[in-house]
């Protein structure tokens, strides 16, 4: 059994007891969250597709912590001009444990 859920504008395929690194959300560690934008629900081959979302379907989870992703180095250069710029970025994520998928 799995579901495809829209979390903060990104789509995730989730199953029960799975960890998901979603874009940073409000909430403290240990707080429960509920996602109601379920786009697809599969129960052992019986697939239901929403238009655009399924009514009454919910995915419950628990926030395990807020983490940062790997560093991405941004390097800009203009040739023959002596211009070089180096910058880095680390995206913030929320680690969520999917506890239950209900329809």
């Amino acid at each position: 059994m799995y579901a495809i859920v829209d979390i903060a504008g990104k789509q995730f395929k989730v199953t029960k007891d799975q960890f998901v690194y979603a874009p940073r959300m409000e909430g403290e560690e240990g707080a429960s969250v509920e996602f109601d934008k379920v786009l697809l629900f599969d129960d052992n081959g019986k697939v239901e597709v929403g238009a655009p979302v399924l009514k009454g379907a919910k995915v419950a989870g628990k926030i395990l912590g807020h983490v940062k992703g790997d560093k991405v180095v941004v390097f800009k250069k203009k040739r023959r001009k002596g211009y070089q710029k180096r910058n880095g970025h680390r995206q913030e994520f929320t680690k969520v444990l999917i506890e239950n998928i209900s329809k």
Side-chain angles (χ1 to χ4, degrees):
M1 176 165 60
Y2 70 89
I4 296 182
V5 184
D6 185 345
I7 302 173
K10 297 192 178 204
Q11 296 178 7
F12 295 93
K13 179 181 176 184
V14 296
T15 58
K16 189 175 179 196
D17 299 328
Q18 176 189 4
F19 298 108
V20 174
Y21 289 95
R24 174 126 180 155
M25 296 184 278
E26 295 296 322
E28 298 181 12
E29 293 183 20
S32 61
V33 290
E34 198 170 83
F35 308 109
D36 56 353
K37 291 185 180 179
V38 178
L39 306 173
L40 183 137
F41 182 78
D42 180 10
D43 188 14
N44 298 327
K46 196 171 116 183
V47 178
E48 294 184 43
V49 180
V53 295
L54 288 171
K55 298 208 189 302
K58 294 185 181 181
V59 175
K62 182 166 84 171
I63 295 177
L64 296 180
H66 301 290
V67 295
K68 284 188 172 184
D70 295 335
K71 180 173 266 194
V72 177
V73 176
V74 179
F75 186 75
K76 298 178 182 180
K77 180 178 179 172
K78 297 192 181 193
R79 64 184 193 161
R80 296 188 302 268
K81 305 294 182 207
Y83 173 80
Q84 292 183 349
K85 184 69 96 177
R86 183 175 181 269
N87 201 352
H89 176 74
R90 289 184 72 185
Q91 187 70 36
E92 293 187 354
F93 296 103
T94 300
K95 186 175 181 181
V96 178
L97 172 66
I98 303 300
E99 293 179 325
N100 190 17
I101 299 173
S102 63
K103 185 181 145 318

